[in-house]
Amino acid sequence: MKYEEEHFRYDSEIMMYEPSYGVLDINEVIKNYTFQVTNGQEGIIGKLPRANFEVLLKDLKQKNGFAMATYEFAFMNGQLESMKVICQKIIAQIDKELKAD
């Protein structure tokens, strides 16, 4: 898991965030996102120029970053699901032992 986290961090920082910082006003993106996820309770709807996003969507480095993030999330989610099952079994065993005392 640690290796996957480090790989994802590299892809997100270098391949996704770095190109975004060169063409997007991140402050405006965050304000818009916040407005949408809080149903208008926080943030504001600002102007997000379509041309900026078109630049990102045409950037191969950015596309590859998103592709890698998708693969890495799928892999990490599988690992986390396996860990969840193992933890549930451990908890059940602990509960069983506690009831036996």
Side-chain angles (χ1 to χ4, degrees):
M1 288 265 331
K2 186 65 177 164
Y3 170 76
E4 283 301 319
E5 288 174 6
E6 289 173 7
H7 192 58
F8 173 73
R9 182 176 179 169
Y10 172 83
D11 286 340
S12 61
E13 288 178 357
I14 302 302
M15 298 179 77
M16 293 168 57
Y17 295 147
E18 193 174 285
S20 299
Y21 293 157
V23 295
L24 293 178
D25 182 344
I26 300 299
N27 192 37
E28 291 300 316
V29 172
I30 292 170
K31 287 178 187 177
N32 273 274
Y33 175 78
T34 303
F35 185 87
Q36 292 176 37
V37 298
T38 64
N39 294 317
Q41 299 298 309
E42 296 178 33
I44 59 169
I45 292 291
K47 186 175 181 180
L48 299 175
R50 180 183 178 105
N52 292 357
F53 290 95
E54 288 173 349
V55 169
L56 283 180
L57 293 173
K58 291 177 183 176
D59 182 68
L60 187 57
K61 188 174 186 178
Q62 186 80 13
K63 288 170 124 178
N64 287 338
F66 277 110
M68 292 306 297
T70 301
Y71 296 132
E72 289 156 5
F73 273 140
F75 187 75
M76 286 190 293
N77 284 343
Q79 289 178 325
L80 291 170
E81 285 297 325
S82 294
M83 289 175 63
K84 181 178 172 183
V85 169
I86 292 168
C87 289
Q88 288 170 335
K89 288 178 182 178
I90 292 170
I91 291 169
Q93 184 64 37
I94 291 170
D95 287 343
K96 182 179 175 183
E97 289 180 20
L98 289 173
K99 288 178 184 174
D101 288 340

mmCIF file of all heavy atoms in Angstrom, residues 70-100:
data_model
loop_
_atom_site.group_PDB
_atom_site.id
_atom_site.type_symbol
_atom_site.label_atom_id
_atom_site.label_comp_id
_atom_site.label_asym_id
_atom_site.label_seq_id
_atom_site.Cartn_x
_atom_site.Cartn_y
_atom_site.Cartn_z
ATOM 1 N N THR A 70 -6.517 6.655 -11.914
ATOM 2 C CA THR A 70 -7.630 5.703 -12.010
ATOM 3 C C THR A 70 -7.150 4.283 -11.720
ATOM 4 O O THR A 70 -7.779 3.552 -10.952
ATOM 5 C CB THR A 70 -8.263 5.767 -13.415
ATOM 6 O OG1 THR A 70 -8.732 7.096 -13.642
ATOM 7 C CG2 THR A 70 -9.404 4.806 -13.554
ATOM 8 N N TYR A 71 -6.039 3.888 -12.327
ATOM 9 C CA TYR A 71 -5.499 2.549 -12.087
ATOM 10 C C TYR A 71 -5.064 2.379 -10.634
ATOM 11 O O TYR A 71 -5.320 1.348 -10.012
ATOM 12 C CB TYR A 71 -4.309 2.269 -13.008
ATOM 13 C CG TYR A 71 -4.665 2.250 -14.476
ATOM 14 C CD1 TYR A 71 -3.909 2.961 -15.388
ATOM 15 C CD2 TYR A 71 -5.762 1.539 -14.944
ATOM 16 C CE1 TYR A 71 -4.232 2.954 -16.747
ATOM 17 C CE2 TYR A 71 -6.096 1.532 -16.284
ATOM 18 C CZ TYR A 71 -5.327 2.241 -17.183
ATOM 19 O OH TYR A 71 -5.652 2.239 -18.509
ATOM 20 N N GLU A 72 -4.398 3.384 -10.107
ATOM 21 C CA GLU A 72 -3.891 3.285 -8.739
ATOM 22 C C GLU A 72 -5.024 3.237 -7.723
ATOM 23 O O GLU A 72 -4.969 2.476 -6.755
ATOM 24 C CB GLU A 72 -2.939 4.449 -8.449
ATOM 25 C CG GLU A 72 -1.636 4.307 -9.211
ATOM 26 C CD GLU A 72 -0.912 5.612 -9.453
ATOM 27 O OE1 GLU A 72 -1.352 6.667 -8.964
ATOM 28 O OE2 GLU A 72 0.101 5.581 -10.158
ATOM 29 N N PHE A 73 -6.070 4.048 -7.938
ATOM 30 C CA PHE A 73 -7.214 4.007 -7.019
ATOM 31 C C PHE A 73 -7.877 2.641 -7.043
ATOM 32 O O PHE A 73 -8.246 2.109 -5.999
ATOM 33 C CB PHE A 73 -8.243 5.085 -7.355
ATOM 34 C CG PHE A 73 -7.966 6.413 -6.708
ATOM 35 C CD1 PHE A 73 -8.179 7.572 -7.429
ATOM 36 C CD2 PHE A 73 -7.513 6.515 -5.413
ATOM 37 C CE1 PHE A 73 -7.943 8.815 -6.852
ATOM 38 C CE2 PHE A 73 -7.265 7.737 -4.822
ATOM 39 C CZ PHE A 73 -7.483 8.892 -5.553
ATOM 40 N N ALA A 74 -8.044 2.067 -8.216
ATOM 41 C CA ALA A 74 -8.668 0.748 -8.315
ATOM 42 C C ALA A 74 -7.838 -0.281 -7.550
ATOM 43 O O ALA A 74 -8.380 -1.101 -6.794
ATOM 44 C CB ALA A 74 -8.824 0.340 -9.775
ATOM 45 N N PHE A 75 -6.528 -0.227 -7.720
ATOM 46 C CA PHE A 75 -5.650 -1.177 -7.036
ATOM 47 C C PHE A 75 -5.684 -0.958 -5.525
ATOM 48 O O PHE A 75 -5.825 -1.908 -4.745
ATOM 49 C CB PHE A 75 -4.220 -1.035 -7.566
ATOM 50 C CG PHE A 75 -3.278 -2.072 -7.036
ATOM 51 C CD1 PHE A 75 -3.323 -3.373 -7.511
ATOM 52 C CD2 PHE A 75 -2.349 -1.753 -6.058
ATOM 53 C CE1 PHE A 75 -2.463 -4.338 -7.015
ATOM 54 C CE2 PHE A 75 -1.488 -2.715 -5.559
ATOM 55 C CZ PHE A 75 -1.535 -4.004 -6.035
ATOM 56 N N MET A 76 -5.573 0.312 -5.093
ATOM 57 C CA MET A 76 -5.589 0.606 -3.655
ATOM 58 C C MET A 76 -6.931 0.244 -3.033
ATOM 59 O O MET A 76 -6.983 -0.260 -1.906
ATOM 60 C CB MET A 76 -5.252 2.071 -3.393
ATOM 61 C CG MET A 76 -3.782 2.396 -3.586
ATOM 62 S SD MET A 76 -3.290 4.037 -3.005
ATOM 63 C CE MET A 76 -4.147 5.116 -4.122
ATOM 64 N N ASN A 77 -8.030 0.491 -3.746
ATOM 65 C CA ASN A 77 -9.346 0.131 -3.215
ATOM 66 C C ASN A 77 -9.447 -1.366 -2.991
ATOM 67 O O ASN A 77 -10.013 -1.815 -1.993
ATOM 68 C CB ASN A 77 -10.461 0.616 -4.143
ATOM 69 C CG ASN A 77 -10.699 2.096 -4.027
ATOM 70 O OD1 ASN A 77 -10.286 2.736 -3.065
ATOM 71 N ND2 ASN A 77 -11.359 2.666 -5.023
ATOM 72 N N GLY A 78 -8.891 -2.158 -3.898
ATOM 73 C CA GLY A 78 -8.880 -3.610 -3.725
ATOM 74 C C GLY A 78 -8.090 -4.011 -2.490
ATOM 75 O O GLY A 78 -8.521 -4.872 -1.718
ATOM 76 N N GLN A 79 -6.947 -3.381 -2.303
ATOM 77 C CA GLN A 79 -6.137 -3.678 -1.118
ATOM 78 C C GLN A 79 -6.882 -3.289 0.163
ATOM 79 O O GLN A 79 -6.855 -4.025 1.155
ATOM 80 C CB GLN A 79 -4.808 -2.936 -1.182
ATOM 81 C CG GLN A 79 -3.860 -3.473 -2.224
ATOM 82 C CD GLN A 79 -2.576 -2.673 -2.284
ATOM 83 O OE1 GLN A 79 -2.566 -1.464 -2.098
ATOM 84 N NE2 GLN A 79 -1.473 -3.356 -2.572
ATOM 85 N N LEU A 80 -7.527 -2.140 0.153
ATOM 86 C CA LEU A 80 -8.259 -1.687 1.334
ATOM 87 C C LEU A 80 -9.446 -2.595 1.640
ATOM 88 O O LEU A 80 -9.734 -2.869 2.816
ATOM 89 C CB LEU A 80 -8.715 -0.233 1.157
ATOM 90 C CG LEU A 80 -7.592 0.793 1.166
ATOM 91 C CD1 LEU A 80 -8.114 2.167 0.737
ATOM 92 C CD2 LEU A 80 -6.945 0.887 2.530
ATOM 93 N N GLU A 81 -10.121 -3.066 0.605
ATOM 94 C CA GLU A 81 -11.230 -3.999 0.823
ATOM 95 C C GLU A 81 -10.727 -5.289 1.462
ATOM 96 O O GLU A 81 -11.366 -5.831 2.364
ATOM 97 C CB GLU A 81 -11.958 -4.297 -0.491
ATOM 98 C CG GLU A 81 -12.846 -3.174 -0.966
ATOM 99 C CD GLU A 81 -14.004 -2.866 -0.017
ATOM 100 O OE1 GLU A 81 -14.553 -3.793 0.624
ATOM 101 O OE2 GLU A 81 -14.352 -1.678 0.104
ATOM 102 N N SER A 82 -9.582 -5.786 1.007
ATOM 103 C CA SER A 82 -8.996 -6.995 1.604
ATOM 104 C C SER A 82 -8.641 -6.755 3.064
ATOM 105 O O SER A 82 -8.892 -7.610 3.927
ATOM 106 C CB SER A 82 -7.736 -7.414 0.834
ATOM 107 O OG SER A 82 -8.055 -7.807 -0.463
ATOM 108 N N MET A 83 -8.060 -5.591 3.351
ATOM 109 C CA MET A 83 -7.713 -5.259 4.728
ATOM 110 C C MET A 83 -8.965 -5.156 5.595
ATOM 111 O O MET A 83 -8.965 -5.577 6.761
ATOM 112 C CB MET A 83 -6.925 -3.952 4.776
ATOM 113 C CG MET A 83 -5.526 -4.078 4.225
ATOM 114 S SD MET A 83 -4.636 -2.509 4.146
ATOM 115 C CE MET A 83 -4.553 -2.056 5.859
ATOM 116 N N LYS A 84 -10.029 -4.632 5.050
ATOM 117 C CA LYS A 84 -11.285 -4.504 5.781
ATOM 118 C C LYS A 84 -11.821 -5.880 6.174
ATOM 119 O O LYS A 84 -12.234 -6.084 7.318
ATOM 120 C CB LYS A 84 -12.309 -3.767 4.907
ATOM 121 C CG LYS A 84 -13.638 -3.547 5.556
ATOM 122 C CD LYS A 84 -14.550 -2.774 4.604
ATOM 123 C CE LYS A 84 -15.966 -2.699 5.121
ATOM 124 N NZ LYS A 84 -16.845 -2.014 4.150
ATOM 125 N N VAL A 85 -11.774 -6.822 5.248
ATOM 126 C CA VAL A 85 -12.235 -8.187 5.529
ATOM 127 C C VAL A 85 -11.377 -8.813 6.621
ATOM 128 O O VAL A 85 -11.899 -9.428 7.563
ATOM 129 C CB VAL A 85 -12.221 -9.046 4.243
ATOM 130 C CG1 VAL A 85 -12.442 -10.512 4.556
ATOM 131 C CG2 VAL A 85 -13.264 -8.538 3.263
ATOM 132 N N ILE A 86 -10.072 -8.653 6.523
ATOM 133 C CA ILE A 86 -9.166 -9.202 7.534
ATOM 134 C C ILE A 86 -9.460 -8.586 8.906
ATOM 135 O O ILE A 86 -9.525 -9.291 9.918
ATOM 136 C CB ILE A 86 -7.695 -8.972 7.129
ATOM 137 C CG1 ILE A 86 -7.349 -9.821 5.905
ATOM 138 C CG2 ILE A 86 -6.744 -9.264 8.287
ATOM 139 C CD1 ILE A 86 -6.017 -9.472 5.249
ATOM 140 N N CYS A 87 -9.660 -7.262 8.950
ATOM 141 C CA CYS A 87 -9.948 -6.579 10.213
ATOM 142 C C CYS A 87 -11.266 -7.050 10.809
ATOM 143 O O CYS A 87 -11.384 -7.240 12.029
ATOM 144 C CB CYS A 87 -9.964 -5.070 10.013
ATOM 145 S SG CYS A 87 -8.332 -4.366 9.715
ATOM 146 N N GLN A 88 -12.260 -7.260 9.961
ATOM 147 C CA GLN A 88 -13.552 -7.751 10.447
ATOM 148 C C GLN A 88 -13.413 -9.144 11.055
ATOM 149 O O GLN A 88 -14.022 -9.448 12.086
ATOM 150 C CB GLN A 88 -14.584 -7.759 9.312
ATOM 151 C CG GLN A 88 -15.032 -6.372 8.918
ATOM 152 C CD GLN A 88 -15.858 -6.337 7.642
ATOM 153 O OE1 GLN A 88 -15.747 -7.218 6.789
ATOM 154 N NE2 GLN A 88 -16.661 -5.293 7.504
ATOM 155 N N LYS A 89 -12.585 -9.992 10.456
ATOM 156 C CA LYS A 89 -12.343 -11.332 10.994
ATOM 157 C C LYS A 89 -11.619 -11.249 12.335
ATOM 158 O O LYS A 89 -11.936 -11.989 13.272
ATOM 159 C CB LYS A 89 -11.533 -12.171 10.004
ATOM 160 C CG LYS A 89 -12.320 -12.594 8.792
ATOM 161 C CD LYS A 89 -11.456 -13.386 7.821
ATOM 162 C CE LYS A 89 -12.238 -13.769 6.579
ATOM 163 N NZ LYS A 89 -11.415 -14.496 5.600
ATOM 164 N N ILE A 90 -10.648 -10.346 12.428
ATOM 165 C CA ILE A 90 -9.915 -10.170 13.685
ATOM 166 C C ILE A 90 -10.860 -9.672 14.780
ATOM 167 O O ILE A 90 -10.831 -10.173 15.911
ATOM 168 C CB ILE A 90 -8.726 -9.203 13.494
ATOM 169 C CG1 ILE A 90 -7.657 -9.849 12.604
ATOM 170 C CG2 ILE A 90 -8.126 -8.793 14.840
ATOM 171 C CD1 ILE A 90 -6.560 -8.898 12.162
ATOM 172 N N ILE A 91 -11.702 -8.715 14.458
ATOM 173 C CA ILE A 91 -12.663 -8.191 15.438
ATOM 174 C C ILE A 91 -13.623 -9.288 15.887
ATOM 175 O O ILE A 91 -13.917 -9.416 17.082
ATOM 176 C CB ILE A 91 -13.418 -6.977 14.858
ATOM 177 C CG1 ILE A 91 -12.467 -5.793 14.716
ATOM 178 C CG2 ILE A 91 -14.628 -6.615 15.737
ATOM 179 C CD1 ILE A 91 -13.027 -4.622 13.909
ATOM 180 N N ALA A 92 -14.104 -10.084 14.944
ATOM 181 C CA ALA A 92 -15.011 -11.192 15.290
ATOM 182 C C ALA A 92 -14.311 -12.180 16.218
ATOM 183 O O ALA A 92 -14.917 -12.672 17.184
ATOM 184 C CB ALA A 92 -15.502 -11.888 14.028
ATOM 185 N N GLN A 93 -13.033 -12.469 15.939
ATOM 186 C CA GLN A 93 -12.277 -13.392 16.791
ATOM 187 C C GLN A 93 -12.085 -12.810 18.188
ATOM 188 O O GLN A 93 -12.242 -13.509 19.192
ATOM 189 C CB GLN A 93 -10.916 -13.716 16.149
ATOM 190 C CG GLN A 93 -10.103 -14.736 16.911
ATOM 191 C CD GLN A 93 -10.763 -16.102 16.948
ATOM 192 O OE1 GLN A 93 -11.377 -16.535 15.985
ATOM 193 N NE2 GLN A 93 -10.660 -16.782 18.072
ATOM 194 N N ILE A 94 -11.782 -11.523 18.268
ATOM 195 C CA ILE A 94 -11.616 -10.863 19.571
ATOM 196 C C ILE A 94 -12.935 -10.889 20.335
ATOM 197 O O ILE A 94 -12.965 -11.219 21.532
ATOM 198 C CB ILE A 94 -11.102 -9.416 19.391
ATOM 199 C CG1 ILE A 94 -9.658 -9.423 18.879
ATOM 200 C CG2 ILE A 94 -11.208 -8.635 20.711
ATOM 201 C CD1 ILE A 94 -9.152 -8.073 18.438
ATOM 202 N N ASP A 95 -14.023 -10.572 19.676
ATOM 203 C CA ASP A 95 -15.341 -10.609 20.318
ATOM 204 C C ASP A 95 -15.659 -12.006 20.827
ATOM 205 O O ASP A 95 -16.172 -12.180 21.933
ATOM 206 C CB ASP A 95 -16.435 -10.154 19.350
ATOM 207 C CG ASP A 95 -16.429 -8.653 19.087
ATOM 208 O OD1 ASP A 95 -15.806 -7.918 19.883
ATOM 209 O OD2 ASP A 95 -17.041 -8.237 18.076
ATOM 210 N N LYS A 96 -15.330 -13.008 20.045
ATOM 211 C CA LYS A 96 -15.564 -14.411 20.431
ATOM 212 C C LYS A 96 -14.767 -14.766 21.674
ATOM 213 O O LYS A 96 -15.287 -15.383 22.617
ATOM 214 C CB LYS A 96 -15.188 -15.328 19.258
ATOM 215 C CG LYS A 96 -15.436 -16.787 19.519
ATOM 216 C CD LYS A 96 -15.049 -17.601 18.285
ATOM 217 C CE LYS A 96 -15.169 -19.084 18.572
ATOM 218 N NZ LYS A 96 -14.735 -19.896 17.414
ATOM 219 N N GLU A 97 -13.512 -14.343 21.704
ATOM 220 C CA GLU A 97 -12.667 -14.628 22.858
ATOM 221 C C GLU A 97 -13.137 -13.874 24.101
ATOM 222 O O GLU A 97 -13.085 -14.409 25.217
ATOM 223 C CB GLU A 97 -11.208 -14.285 22.544
ATOM 224 C CG GLU A 97 -10.568 -15.244 21.567
ATOM 225 C CD GLU A 97 -9.124 -14.887 21.261
ATOM 226 O OE1 GLU A 97 -8.485 -14.163 22.025
ATOM 227 O OE2 GLU A 97 -8.625 -15.378 20.216
ATOM 228 N N LEU A 98 -13.605 -12.626 23.927
ATOM 229 C CA LEU A 98 -14.096 -11.858 25.057
ATOM 230 C C LEU A 98 -15.357 -12.473 25.641
ATOM 231 O O LEU A 98 -15.558 -12.482 26.867
ATOM 232 C CB LEU A 98 -14.372 -10.403 24.645
ATOM 233 C CG LEU A 98 -13.141 -9.557 24.367
ATOM 234 C CD1 LEU A 98 -13.554 -8.203 23.805
ATOM 235 C CD2 LEU A 98 -12.299 -9.382 25.632
ATOM 236 N N LYS A 99 -16.209 -13.018 24.810
ATOM 237 C CA LYS A 99 -17.452 -13.653 25.269
ATOM 238 C C LYS A 99 -17.176 -14.975 25.959
ATOM 239 O O LYS A 99 -17.929 -15.403 26.816
ATOM 240 C CB LYS A 99 -18.397 -13.864 24.100
ATOM 241 C CG LYS A 99 -18.996 -12.576 23.592
ATOM 242 C CD LYS A 99 -19.906 -12.795 22.399
ATOM 243 C CE LYS A 99 -20.396 -11.471 21.880
ATOM 244 N NZ LYS A 99 -21.170 -11.601 20.650
ATOM 245 N N ALA A 100 -16.074 -15.634 25.574
ATOM 246 C CA ALA A 100 -15.720 -16.920 26.169
ATOM 247 C C ALA A 100 -15.226 -16.770 27.599
ATOM 248 O O ALA A 100 -15.269 -17.704 28.387
ATOM 249 C CB ALA A 100 -14.665 -17.603 25.318
#
